[in-house]
């Protein structure tokens, strides 16, 4: 594929709900344009952009895939994005580097949950949109019903530029309302197209639809409105130009008709992309000036300073890290040095690549407006801006959603423990919405993600790509123990054996501290009752024992120990003896200072369509949550609550079930609170069962 100038490039991302046919549509676009010589199908696992083993097995896109087609002297870069809610961050990242979103809507189901989410993202990022009503060959498929769904969700700017010829299994082509030509297609999936006149039975409906289209386009542009009032209509050239300008301004969303599986309507869609989608020269990218954070726009000028934005990283098990970038301005060249403007580091570009699914082709340069790739950059990550040091432009880093669900992860093989860290680091480069950490309190390895499926896919990638198998289980709750009363206690350790014995005696006071104080130790020994060098051993004994807990094996926190008296033996006393005495004194104190269990409380924010707000608040109350506020945002409601962590472990599945996948939530640690008495009993009994047969080693 030759190198194209920005004016002849069209960058589009296919977005929409899972199952609407985005990957099949990408495959058809590539086949009909001649980019590939095989019509790949999702069911056969032969599409260009779904090449990962996990995607082929699940028959769903899990990660954005890049490919390119040439059509009417233009290069069309196509990004096929995931539609499942757990993976939508990849779709949002892709929207930042394209001039238009092709919003794919199922002709039976209409607008669905993920369609609404990606539309909202495109609107926020000011990305122009075309709408593709796909799968019109299915039973109960209806353009009219799909349009009704689209307009009720996205407004009247959605306007048909085509109408279908035939319905359901009889869908054989489209009428183009701009040219008033009919395009019918062979039934053998070859994409062979025949141009003809509008069928007589559709002539009146097509004319009425065309008039509605003209009115909508004229309404979106003041100059065209004047021409429309003067002439009563618009010429075909004016209509084409008006559609292009209306799309670019975000006022008009042309609706097109396809059946990707049967290769119907694909060539007119390619024409629409070329005609209606803005070129990079018409759609400046927005960023900030480094150091000042002042907003700035940058046009796709191939001779300006080189600046490129990294929107995706692929962890290839053979080629290593592959970095996908969009050149904002200037030209990137192979075998050159660039500056990572985001991180202020130097990078060496090796061979630049053009990507076609999993296939890569070497090129000498990638010009402004185009999308390319490079392998083995050492520091650059997703969201970084690279280029000339004096480029004067940096894209704001992509904000990835915080993980909402966590599982504890155990390697099946002891030898895999070291491999996990390396493999997870690679996977996090590819998908920054994954979380991986070791809990400092429970010492468990935690894998966090956007949902149950996200976790399962990550575990499958660990096994397929890196040969690491793990078991998953719900993470342990990091409970704490504390005291609620003050007391004095005595610890005396005496052991006589042949030769020197062991002797130590200490007296302490133990008192509660405010929540979050952890532990304090004070020495108030006077007169040498205990030699100074042995006092730290008492503290060490208490520290060791408090971390093992008293009621249920959880660390004891928020208390102060003061050692005020004791005795020693000139020969038999040593550090070990006073360490043991400290342990005994701590246990003696815990038996009288009314210990209790604390649990972590999470600050939870739930965003849901307002229809579900009442049910969700009832559910949160049932989880021992306290609602702290509500806020209405358009058709959505934000619920703020404080809920115990133990009640939130399975919340993601429940929220999905209650809202049909339309709700989302975020939570973060807030503080610790005392566990209700009946819950404490369960925690203590469970802890005893887990530790049955384990004997605490007194060292």
């Amino acid at each position: 594929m030759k190198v194209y100038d920005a004016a002849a490039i069209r960058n589009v991302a296919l977005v929409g709900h899972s199952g609407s046919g985005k990957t099949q549509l990408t495959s058809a676009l590539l086949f009909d344009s001649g980019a590939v010589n095989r019509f790949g199908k999702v069911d056969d696992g032969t599409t260009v952009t779904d090449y990962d083993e996990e995607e082929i097995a699940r028959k769903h896109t899990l990660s954005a895939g890049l490919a390119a087609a040439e059509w009417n002297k233009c290069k069309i870069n196509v990004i096929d994005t995931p539609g499942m809610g757990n993976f939508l961050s990849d779709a949002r990242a892709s929207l930042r580097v394209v001039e238009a979103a092709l919003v794919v809507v199922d002709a039976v189901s209409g607008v669905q949950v993920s369609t609404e989410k990606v539309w909202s993202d495109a609107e926020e990022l000011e990305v122009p949109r075309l709408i593709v009503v796909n799968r019109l060959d299915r039973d109960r498929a209806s353009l009219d019903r799909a349009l009704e769904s689209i307009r009720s969700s996205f407004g009247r700017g959605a306007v048909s530029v085509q109408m279908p010829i035939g319905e359901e299994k009889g869908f054989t082509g489209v009428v183009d309302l701009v040219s008033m030509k009919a395009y019918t297609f062979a039934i053998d999936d070859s994409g062979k197209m025949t141009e003809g006149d509008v069928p007589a039975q559709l002539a009146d409906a097509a004319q009425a639809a065309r008039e509605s289209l003209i009115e909508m386009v004229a309404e979106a542009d003041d100059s065209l409105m004047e021409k429309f009032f003067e002439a009563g209509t618009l010429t075909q050239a004016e209509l084409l130009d008006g559609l292009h300008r209306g799309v670019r301004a975000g006022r008009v969303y042309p609706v097109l008709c396809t059946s990707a599986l049967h290769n119907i309507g694909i060539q007119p869609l390619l024409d629409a992309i070329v005609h209606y989608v803005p070129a990079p020269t018409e759609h400046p990218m927005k960023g900030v000036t480094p150091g000042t954070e002042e907003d700035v726009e940058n046009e796709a000028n191939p001779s300006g300073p080189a600046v490129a934005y990294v929107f995706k990283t692929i962890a290839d098990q053979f080629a290593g890290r592959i970095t996908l970038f969009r050149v904002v301005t200037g030209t990137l060249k192979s075998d050159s040095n660039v500056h990572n403007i985001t991180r202020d580091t130097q990078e060496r570009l090796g061979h630049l690549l053009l990507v076609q699914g999993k296939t890569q082709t070497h090129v000498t340069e990638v010009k402004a407006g185009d999308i390319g790739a490079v392998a083995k950059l050492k520091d650059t990550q997703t969201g970084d801006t690279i280029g000339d040091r004096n480029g004067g432009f940096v894209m704001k880093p992509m904000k990835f959603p915080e993980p909402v669900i966590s599982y504890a992860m155990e390697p099946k093989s002891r030898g895999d423990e070291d491999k996990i860290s390396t493999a997870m680091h690679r996977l996090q480069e590819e998908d920054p919405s994954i979380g991986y950490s070791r809990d400092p309190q429970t010492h468990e390895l935690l894998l966090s993600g956007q949902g149950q499926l996200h976790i399962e896919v990550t575990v499958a990638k660990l096994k397929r790509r890196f040969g690491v198998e793990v078991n998953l289980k719900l993470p342990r709750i990091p409970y704490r123990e504390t005291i609620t009363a003050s007391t004095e206690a005595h610890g005396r350790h005496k052991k006589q054996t042949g030769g020197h014995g062991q002797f130590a005696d200490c007296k302490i006071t133990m008192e509660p501290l405010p929540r979050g104080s952890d532990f304090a130790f004070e020495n108030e020994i006077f007169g040498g009752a205990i030699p100074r060098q042995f006092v730290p051993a008492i503290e060490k004994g208490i520290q060791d024992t408090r971390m093992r807990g008293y009621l249920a094996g959880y660390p004891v926190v928020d208390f102060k120990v003061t050692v005020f008296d004791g005795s020693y033996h000139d020969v038999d006393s040593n550090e070990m003896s006073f360490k043991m005495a400290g342990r005994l004194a701590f246990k003696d104190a815990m038996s009288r200072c009314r210990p209790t269990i604390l649990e972590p409380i999470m600050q939870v924010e739930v965003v849901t369509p307002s229809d579900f707000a009442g049910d969700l608040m009832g559910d949160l109350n049932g989880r021992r949550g306290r609602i702290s506020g509500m806020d209405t945002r358009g058709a959505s409601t934000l619920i703020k609550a404080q809920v115990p962590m133990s009640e939130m472990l399975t919340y993601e599945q429940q929220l999905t079930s209650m809202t049909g996948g339309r709700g989302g939530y975020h939570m973060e640690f807030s503080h610790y609170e005392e566990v209700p008495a009946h819950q404490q009993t369960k925690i203590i009994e469970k802890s005893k069962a887990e530790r049955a047969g384990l004997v605490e080693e007194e060292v």
Side-chain angles (χ1 to χ4, degrees):
M1 186 175 289
K2 69 177 186 178
V3 176
Y4 282 77
D5 290 325
I9 293 173
R10 306 289 185 270
N11 297 308
V12 296
L14 273 67
V15 298
H17 196 82
S18 178
S20 58
K22 300 182 296 298
T23 300
Q24 190 61 57
L25 190 59
T26 302
S27 184
L29 288 168
L30 296 174
F31 177 73
D32 281 19
S33 65
V36 295
N37 54 20
R38 179 185 186 187
F39 184 49
K41 295 190 175 182
V42 172
D43 287 343
D44 299 338
T46 55
T47 62
V48 172
T49 50
D50 275 8
Y51 56 84
D52 185 84
E53 290 179 331
E54 202 59 31
E55 292 178 317
I56 293 171
R58 294 177 182 269
K59 297 182 180 177
H60 281 291
T61 301
L62 304 174
S63 178
L66 173 64
E70 293 174 292
W71 188 255
N72 283 356
K73 299 180 180 178
C74 284
K75 178 185 180 183
I76 303 173
N77 286 314
V78 180
I79 305 177
D80 175 26
T81 71
M84 288 188 284
N86 287 179
F87 304 93
L88 284 182
S89 59
D90 235 20
R92 182 178 173 87
S94 301
L95 286 172
R96 299 193 76 189
V97 297
V98 297
E99 276 68 51
L102 266 57
V103 183
V104 185
V105 176
D106 185 278
V108 176
S109 305
V111 173
Q112 295 167 276
V113 179
S114 292
T115 325
E116 294 174 345
K117 289 181 178 178
V118 294
W119 185 278
S120 176
D121 285 340
E123 202 158 41
E124 182 186 335
L125 296 168
E126 299 180 3
V127 178
R129 278 140 277 168
L130 277 64
I131 301 171
V132 182
V133 177
N134 189 34
R135 308 179 83 188
L136 276 161
D137 57 294
R138 296 177 66 204
D139 292 340
R140 297 182 296 109
S142 165
L143 176 64
D144 290 340
R145 281 199 304 274
L147 271 173
E148 187 179 334
S149 170
I150 291 164
R151 285 172 179 154
S152 67
S153 298
F154 306 139
R156 56 189 294 271
V159 58
S160 286
V161 294
Q162 295 175 348
M163 60 186 299
I165 299 173
E167 296 180 348
E168 300 178 356
K169 286 184 171 57
F171 175 56
T172 57
V174 297
V175 173
D176 186 302
L177 300 176
V178 178
S179 65
M180 288 303 278
K181 295 286 185 182
Y183 301 98
T184 54
F185 295 82
I187 58 174
D188 57 3
D189 302 347
S190 66
K192 186 177 180 182
M193 185 178 77
T194 304
E195 180 183 320
D197 294 330
V198 177
Q201 69 271 25
L202 295 177
D204 291 343
Q207 190 58 44
R210 189 175 196 271
E211 288 171 6
S212 296
L213 169 63
I214 290 171
E215 286 180 22
M216 186 67 212
V217 171
E219 192 179 310
D221 188 286
D222 291 342
S223 62
L224 289 178
M225 180 67 84
E226 292 179 14
K227 292 181 179 179
F228 176 73
F229 280 136
E230 289 173 6
T233 188
L234 297 176
T235 65
Q236 183 174 330
E238 288 169 342
L239 184 53
L240 270 172
D241 183 55
L243 276 165
H244 181 84
R245 284 193 280 170
V247 169
R248 187 175 66 187
R251 295 176 182 165
V252 176
Y253 315 116
V255 179
L256 300 112
C257 306
T258 63
S259 165
L261 185 61
H262 295 297
N263 208 356
I264 297 173
I266 305 304
Q267 293 164 53
L269 173 58
L270 285 163
D271 287 336
I273 292 170
V274 170
H275 290 148
Y276 306 147
V277 171
T281 50
E282 302 173 286
H283 191 266
M285 295 193 75
K286 295 181 178 180
V288 295
T289 304
T292 67
E293 301 303 306
E294 291 182 8
D295 291 340
V296 63
E297 292 186 350
N298 224 326
E299 296 182 356
N301 176 10
S303 58
V307 176
Y309 174 69
V310 174
F311 69 96
K312 184 167 180 60
T313 303
I314 300 171
D316 189 283
Q317 61 195 105
F318 304 112
R321 181 193 295 169
I322 297 175
T323 301
L324 270 58
F325 58 82
R326 154 74 189 264
V327 181
V328 179
T329 184
T331 302
L332 286 189
K333 296 181 181 292
S334 290
D335 301 317
S336 62
N337 294 317
V338 294
H339 190 70
N340 185 319
I341 303 166
T342 306
R343 300 181 187 277
D344 195 21
T345 58
Q346 284 293 110
E347 289 280 17
R348 174 73 181 171
L349 298 181
H351 293 297
L352 294 181
L353 309 167
L354 294 182
V355 176
Q356 194 81 327
K358 65 179 178 182
T359 306
Q360 298 145 13
T361 307
H362 289 204
V363 289
T364 56
E365 62 182 16
V366 181
K367 289 187 175 182
D370 209 348
I371 296 175
V374 64
K376 299 180 179 177
L377 296 185
K378 66 179 192 299
D379 295 323
T380 301
Q381 297 179 12
T382 301
D384 288 357
T385 303
I386 60 174
D388 293 346
R389 183 186 287 272
N390 60 351
F393 179 90
V394 62
M395 292 278 284
K396 291 181 180 178
M398 168 79 180
K399 287 185 179 178
F400 286 89
E402 293 290 325
V404 299
I405 188 172
S406 297
Y407 281 84
M409 186 167 52
E410 293 178 342
K412 287 187 177 180
S413 168
R414 184 177 292 274
D416 284 347
E417 289 183 5
D418 294 336
K419 289 184 186 176
I420 286 181
S421 180
T422 302
M424 284 305 306
H425 181 68
R426 296 274 299 277
L427 290 178
Q428 279 182 300
E429 288 179 348
E430 183 173 286
D431 183 359
S433 64
I434 297 171
Y436 170 69
S437 61
R438 184 182 291 275
D439 190 302
Q441 292 119 23
T442 65
H443 304 295
E444 292 177 315
L445 289 175
L446 297 181
L447 173 60
S448 308
Q450 302 305 308
Q452 181 91 28
L453 180 62
H454 196 199
I455 297 287
E456 290 174 6
V457 167
T458 302
V459 168
K461 286 180 179 178
L462 276 174
K463 181 179 178 181
R464 285 180 188 268
R465 292 194 200 174
F466 303 100
V468 178
E469 292 190 64
V470 298
N471 293 319
L472 292 178
K473 61 179 183 177
L474 288 174
R476 287 183 70 201
I477 304 298
Y479 292 110
R480 293 285 179 271
E481 300 177 21
T482 193
I483 61 173
T484 58
S486 300
T487 188
E488 286 190 5
H490 182 206
R492 183 180 179 89
H493 174 69
K494 186 175 182 181
K495 190 173 183 181
Q496 193 64 47
T497 58
H500 291 311
Q502 296 177 19
F503 178 83
D505 188 290
C506 68
K507 294 180 180 179
I508 64 171
T509 59
M510 203 150 94
E511 57 189 302
L513 289 177
R515 197 73 65 237
S517 302
D518 196 29
F519 172 70
F521 182 84
E522 194 169 317
N523 175 17
E524 288 189 359
I525 297 237
F526 298 101
I530 300 174
R532 185 180 301 274
Q533 70 267 28
F534 293 145
V535 173
I538 298 173
E539 181 181 1
K540 182 72 164 61
I542 294 170
Q543 284 275 32
D544 288 352
T545 311
R546 84 174 181 97
M547 296 310 293
R548 301 183 185 190
Y550 179 79
L551 293 173
Y554 296 100
V556 184
V557 297
D558 302 339
F559 70 102
K560 177 182 177 181
V561 169
T562 304
V563 57
F564 65 90
D565 199 3
S567 59
Y568 73 103
H569 188 278
D570 287 335
V571 176
D572 292 346
S573 291
N574 54 33
E575 285 191 12
M576 182 62 73
S577 298
F578 275 100
K579 185 176 175 184
M580 294 301 299
R583 288 185 176 189
L584 294 169
F586 172 81
K587 290 180 179 179
D588 182 41
M590 289 297 290
S591 67
R592 291 192 301 278
C593 60
R594 299 205 300 270
T596 189
I597 297 177
L598 303 173
E599 64 180 342
I601 305 297
M602 310 303 288
Q603 183 66 45
V604 180
E605 293 187 355
V606 183
V607 179
T608 175
S610 299
D611 296 349
F612 304 107
D615 290 342
L616 289 177
M617 284 194 292
D619 179 68
L620 289 170
N621 285 326
R623 295 173 185 269
R624 298 191 286 130
R626 293 191 302 270
I627 307 298
S628 56
M630 284 180 61
D631 186 19
T632 302
R633 297 177 176 177
S636 297
T637 298
L638 172 68
I639 305 169
K640 295 182 178 180
Q642 291 188 337
V643 192
M645 180 192 282
S646 59
E647 302 286 349
M648 293 298 293
L649 293 180
T650 58
Y651 186 65
E652 190 253 349
Q653 297 96 311
Q654 180 70 12
L655 179 64
T656 300
S657 173
M658 292 180 72
T659 64
R662 298 172 70 188
Y665 80 107
H666 167 72
M667 69 177 182
E668 58 187 26
F669 172 75
S670 175
H671 62 282
Y672 273 92
E673 278 184 15
E674 189 171 341
V675 179
H678 69 283
Q679 295 282 348
Q680 288 200 34
T681 304
K682 293 179 182 178
I683 293 167
I684 293 168
E685 288 175 353
K686 182 180 178 184
S687 174
K688 285 180 178 176
E690 287 177 351
R691 294 188 294 169
L694 297 179
V695 180
E696 182 174 300
E697 183 183 344
E698 294 285 349
V699 177

